[in-house]
Amino acid sequence: MIQMSTHYPDATRIEPINRHTLAVVVDNEPGVLARIAGLFSGRGYNIESLTVTETEHEAHISRITIVTAGTNSIIEQIKSHLERLVPVHRVVDLTLTGEAVERELCLVKVVGKGDHRVEAMRLASAFGARTLDATLTSFVYELTGTTDEVERFIKLMTAVGLVEVSRTGVAAMARGADGM
């Protein structure tokens, strides 16, 4: 049988882009965060959320939680590059370990009077936000929740006088008895 050649290229395979949460355990030393951020930017990958803190003070170990998006092959490539960095001890894809517990904290400042003020208080109560500061014309609320809950809260507060937002980024941990 004769195989026909065609002028058309083979169909490209389209992979879905998924959001992944990565927990990275590293030595707490100068330049580690810059090297990890450089790994992402140098390859054109985006970091959607980044949180860092020292988790073992005596051992000088930090945990970096990174939220990023990409195809499965891109995520595998990111994890492989992270694992090869010298100060990195472990890389865990919390998205693959099952449903992880993810939370984000935001501080929201709302300015308004009259009906806007009452509506801001009602919305804050409905979302379970705490009032951290109140004046005759403004409130500062604290909300902890999933990224989606924080996004909804901010969107609704925009309509009643939102003037400032500060967010921590995602903190995440795998469910169950096993540790990292």
Side-chain angles (χ1 to χ4, degrees):
M1 189 176 258
I2 300 174
Q3 189 166 9
M4 306 248 331
S5 68
T6 177
H7 295 287
Y8 299 105
D10 292 338
T12 56
R13 205 173 93 210
I14 299 173
E15 288 186 66
I17 294 177
N18 299 309
R19 179 182 176 269
H20 284 255
T21 303
L22 307 175
V24 184
V25 177
V26 300
D27 289 332
N28 186 9
E29 57 187 41
V32 173
L33 183 58
R35 290 174 65 193
I36 289 175
L39 184 149
F40 276 78
S41 66
R43 288 165 178 78
Y45 306 144
N46 188 41
I47 296 174
E48 293 180 10
S49 173
L50 177 71
T51 57
V52 184
T53 191
E54 188 172 60
T55 55
E56 298 176 37
H57 298 291
E58 292 79 27
H60 299 290
I61 300 293
S62 290
R63 179 179 174 132
I64 301 174
T65 305
I66 302 169
V67 178
T68 190
T71 63
N72 288 341
S73 59
I74 294 292
I75 297 299
E76 287 304 316
Q77 190 177 40
I78 289 170
K79 292 190 299 189
S80 175
H81 286 300
L82 284 170
E83 288 168 343
R84 285 196 296 249
L85 289 177
V86 172
V88 173
H89 294 276
R90 269 186 314 283
V91 177
V92 177
D93 189 342
L94 295 173
T95 307
L96 299 180
T97 63
E99 198 168 314
V101 176
E102 291 188 9
R103 291 295 179 267
E104 184 175 354
L105 179 132
C106 75
L107 300 177
V108 174
K109 184 183 289 184
V110 179
V111 174
K113 293 182 180 177
D115 290 342
H116 285 288
R117 185 174 173 81
V118 172
E119 185 63 12
M121 291 176 5
R122 190 188 68 73
L123 287 169
S125 176
F127 275 85
R130 289 182 1 158
T131 304
L132 300 180
D133 184 58
T135 69
L136 294 175
T137 59
S138 69
F139 289 107
V140 175
Y141 295 111
E142 172 191 315
L143 177 71
T144 303
T146 65
T147 299
D148 289 341
E149 290 168 341
V150 169
E151 291 286 344
R152 280 196 320 273
F153 184 65
I154 291 169
K155 184 178 179 183
L156 290 170
M157 285 299 190
T158 301
V160 294
L162 177 85
V163 293
E164 189 175 354
V165 176
S166 179
R167 296 170 71 164
T168 60
V170 174
M173 188 173 287
R175 294 182 186 272
D178 296 332
M180 250 187 84

